[in-house]
Amino acid sequence: NRVRAGNLDREVRCRYGERQEEFEQIDTVYKIEKQQLEDLETRFQVLEEEYTRIMEERRIAAEQKAEEERRLRLLTKAAVVIQAHWRSFATRKKLKQKKKGKKGKKGK
């Protein structure tokens, strides 16, 4: 029985030792992967902040472009109105001059 108990004791110790080694290996891998995860999370946070900044800059640029386009449309519309009024004025002026010119010739 003592031999059997000794063999059983050695077998238990051997299995415990194997399990302890397996645990230590798994724990080592876990610690490495945990550190990698922390590194990736840090890098992700930096990239996310940069992405947010870039997107904000793009949004502001798009708003500025839209405002500039709106301003350009407004100025173009104003120029068209001014040009139309000027042409109308010039045409009426020429017509009045022609009309005065005809009256003067008939009266003589």
Side-chain angles (χ1 to χ4, degrees):
N1 268 342
R2 285 186 178 188
V3 173
R4 197 171 195 189
N7 286 341
L8 186 60
D9 187 42
R10 276 186 292 215
E11 186 178 326
V12 168
R13 286 183 187 166
C14 183
R15 284 187 181 175
Y16 176 77
E18 290 172 359
R19 294 290 182 187
Q20 184 64 31
E21 286 178 23
E22 184 180 346
F23 170 77
E24 289 172 359
Q25 289 174 352
I26 291 172
D27 189 51
T28 302
V29 170
Y30 169 77
K31 288 177 182 177
I32 291 170
E33 289 180 350
K34 184 177 179 182
Q35 183 61 45
Q36 289 173 344
L37 175 63
E38 290 172 0
D39 294 344
L40 289 172
E41 286 175 338
T42 302
R43 286 176 45 200
F44 175 76
Q45 184 178 8
V46 169
L47 290 174
E48 186 176 34
E49 289 171 1
E50 185 177 345
Y51 172 80
T52 302
R53 182 185 53 80
I54 290 170
M55 293 308 292
E56 181 64 16
E57 288 173 0
R58 286 183 181 178
R59 183 190 64 78
I60 291 170
E63 286 177 359
Q64 288 174 343
K65 183 179 177 182
E67 178 61 25
E68 187 62 31
E69 287 174 355
R70 186 195 66 77
R71 187 173 176 269
L72 181 61
R73 282 192 307 271
L74 184 64
L75 289 174
T76 301
K77 185 177 178 181
V80 167
V81 169
I82 291 169
Q83 290 170 357
H85 283 279
W86 176 255
R87 282 190 220 108
S88 174
F89 170 77
T91 303
R92 284 192 309 274
K93 185 176 178 180
K94 284 182 183 179
L95 287 175
K96 284 182 183 180
Q97 287 175 353
K98 284 184 181 182
K99 195 174 184 183
K100 285 183 181 180
K102 286 185 180 179
K103 285 185 181 179
K105 289 182 182 177
K106 284 187 181 180
K108 287 189 176 181

